[in-house]
Amino acid sequence: MTRRLGRLASVIAAILIVASVSYALGTFNARDTISRPDMSWALGSAAAIKISDLSISLEHAANAIRERNPKASEASLGKAYDYLGGLLAASVEMHIAKGDPLQPEFTNWMSDYRKFLGDSPDAIYSTAPIEADGEYEVAITTGSADYLGFVVYERNPIIGWNRAADSTSIVPDAENSVFRIRLTSESSDKTSQSKKLDTVLGESAGSTEISEGAESALSILSHDDVSGFRMRNIGSNSQQATLKLSASSHLIMVREYFFDSEPRQPSRLTIKRLRTSATSIAGLITQTGTPGQDATSFETRAENAVNFFNQTWQGSLALADALKETTNSFDRPATVSPDFVGIFYPTPDNDYHGGSFSLAPGDALVVEGEVPVAAFWSITLQDHWMQSIESNGEPASLKGSEITNRQGNYRVWISDTPPPEGEDWLNTGGASEGLVAIRYLLSDQAPAPTARLRTLNSGSNDTAQSASEL
């Protein structure tokens, strides 16, 4: 009996030793897996160096955020790091996974959880990489969007920021309309005569395109309503629309605006390369596992991801800091150059207005302006990361169709306290600081709106009186 107990004790001891060693090794291996390696690991490999750069960029951004406010709460840091995580995911998808201009694909910027660079809750943004001296065809089968805008972006040769090289837009009549747009750097009589027009009217289940010399057969109607931006007399046998690529063109963006349509059905977008530039041919490589398939090198795509990530978060903070100079007004800060907005990929179809707000409890920023003659317009609240605010289920934005027309003018109160009865309101959801972004799409040069700080005393006669004075 004693011998049996001794054997059993030995077996149990052995099991405990094995379990203890296994646990220790597992703990060691887990810790070793997540420890920071010596920087020398990346030396000798351009691809490894770029992966290291991407990792360092994320850590640098997280550190910079904490240094700005060392006493930031865990909730505040978590929100900032959520932003960085979404931006990193977009950077990787946009520039590494789908970042080859020789095999381009569209990336939906604000897919699911991602928001950055001043998103609009009423829009979908999709981009694809292009090479400046290549040739491409974009095919669009429309969903339920009321407007689709196409902008080719180039780099400013002096400062490197983005600016529009060419653009056009579509206001389709129905879903499943099919359009094709050619992107080319060629300068020929045909290309030069294929005019850049403001809108193209689609025909369902067929290709509707702009032809050489067709401009004389087209006319833009009055801007009284959305149909005022549609064109007539476009035949189905015409040639495709053409956008011109400049020497520094690098990206095409498609904006889909939904004026009122619910549910929202995105368009189906594809892009294919028709011709490869001589520069690209000289530098082609073959992807591992895909013999004969041309590709842009990983290190080039990863470098683009690093640059996009860093420029985006740094530019967003720089704009938020600059707007503090003129907080609670829509005056342009002296430190913001008009060229600086290029970092945010603006479209020439939009007039942009806005500023920052900083509100004490009971304060309201009152935005006033003339109701624009526009295809669409909206007012959106954003945080300093330029993400639309949707606090406590409250909408982050008001469309022009939801804002009261007061004899040709409008007035919107921005606050965490309800405004006087009958006033239009954007609820900050308790946020004391943020940004206001106003977009006028295809507007008729409407005057810029204004903003001023007011005090709300909920339920008092003073509140009603202050509203009537506005």
Side-chain angles (χ1 to χ4, degrees), residues 396-439:
S397 185
L398 286 177
K399 304 173 186 176
S401 59
E402 299 170 326
I403 297 174
T404 305
N405 187 326
R406 305 174 187 276
Q407 298 181 333
N409 297 300
Y410 67 85
R411 181 170 63 244
V412 175
W413 296 65
I414 296 171
S415 64
D416 64 354
T417 304
E421 185 177 352
E423 295 293 314
D424 296 313
W425 180 35
L426 275 173
N427 187 350
T428 62
S432 60
E433 295 184 346
L435 307 176
V436 183
I438 301 176
R439 296 172 173 89

Side-chain angles (χ1 to χ4, degrees), residues 168 180 194-197 199-200 208-212 214-215 218 234 238-242:
T168 191
R180 301 184 192 282
S194 182
K195 303 294 185 180
K196 178 178 74 68
L197 300 175
T199 53
V200 184
T208 303
E209 296 153 339
I210 302 172
S211 67
E212 173 182 347
E215 187 179 15
L218 306 175
I234 301 181
S238 55
Q239 300 297 314
Q240 63 187 0
T242 299

Side-chain angles (χ1 to χ4, degrees), residues 45 68 78 99 109 113 126 179 198 234 240-241 325 353 371 436:
S45 168
R68 284 171 62 93
W109 276 23
Y113 57 91
S126 302
F179 301 88
D198 288 331
I234 301 181
Q240 63 187 0
E325 300 174 16
H353 306 282
V371 175
V436 183

Side-chain angles (χ1 to χ4, degrees), residues 27-144:
T27 302
F28 171 77
N29 289 335
R31 289 178 178 171
D32 184 61
T33 299
I34 62 170
S35 64
R36 182 186 291 112
D38 186 272
M39 289 300 298
S40 61
W41 76 270
L43 298 179
S45 168
I49 288 173
K50 293 308 173 185
I51 278 291
S52 177
D53 288 347
L54 192 59
S55 173
I56 291 171
S57 294
L58 177 61
E59 193 165 349
H60 171 74
N63 177 63
I65 289 169
R66 197 166 188 191
E67 283 186 341
R68 284 171 62 93
N69 185 5
K71 297 182 180 180
S73 66
E74 287 297 306
S76 177
L77 285 175
K79 184 176 180 180
Y81 294 163
D82 275 341
Y83 163 78
L84 291 181
L87 177 58
L88 180 65
S91 302
V92 170
E93 179 181 348
M94 177 181 169
H95 288 290
I96 297 181
K98 300 179 179 178
D100 187 352
L102 304 179
Q103 305 170 52
E105 295 181 67
F106 278 102
T107 295
N108 180 352
W109 276 23
M110 313 304 173
S111 175
D112 299 327
Y113 57 91
R114 302 190 306 224
K115 292 182 181 182
F116 53 92
L117 287 180
D119 67 286
S120 167
D122 303 305
I124 295 174
Y125 306 82
S126 302
T127 62
I130 55 178
E131 56 180 3
D133 49 355
E135 185 173 332
Y136 301 85
E137 182 182 78
V138 177
I140 310 101
T141 302
T142 61
S144 60

